[in-house]
Amino acid sequence: MARQELTRLTGKFRGPDCDDDDCPNVYRSEDGSIVVQGNVSLAFQPPEGEALVEIPEAVLREAVRALGW
């Protein structure tokens, strides 16, 4: 899936060391699934084929508002 196939739900949050495309963000795919971009988390080892990322609470709140939830 390419980034241009996703709808960006966030983007106002600007943390330290944050440029346009490397900030934590939440996207929605064409089929309605959620894609999250964030810093890699080493909290625990997820199952094969999965990854953990951390995003600030403000980013998640912005995504929820964008979805109208």
Side-chain angles (χ1 to χ4, degrees), residues 26-44:
V26 178
Y27 301 87
R28 189 172 198 178
S29 69
E30 290 178 354
D31 67 5
S33 65
I34 302 297
V35 177
V36 179
Q37 174 186 350
N39 295 324
V40 174
S41 173
L42 302 175
F44 65 89

Side-chain angles (χ1 to χ4, degrees), residues 5 11-12 14 17 22 30-32 47 52 59 62:
E5 297 175 59
K12 295 178 185 170
R14 293 287 184 247
D17 304 317
D22 67 354
E30 290 178 354
D31 67 5
L52 302 177
V59 173
E62 185 180 351

Side-chain angles (χ1 to χ4, degrees), residues 44-56:
F44 65 89
Q45 184 63 43
E48 180 88 22
E50 295 183 6
L52 302 177
V53 298
E54 294 183 36
I55 61 171

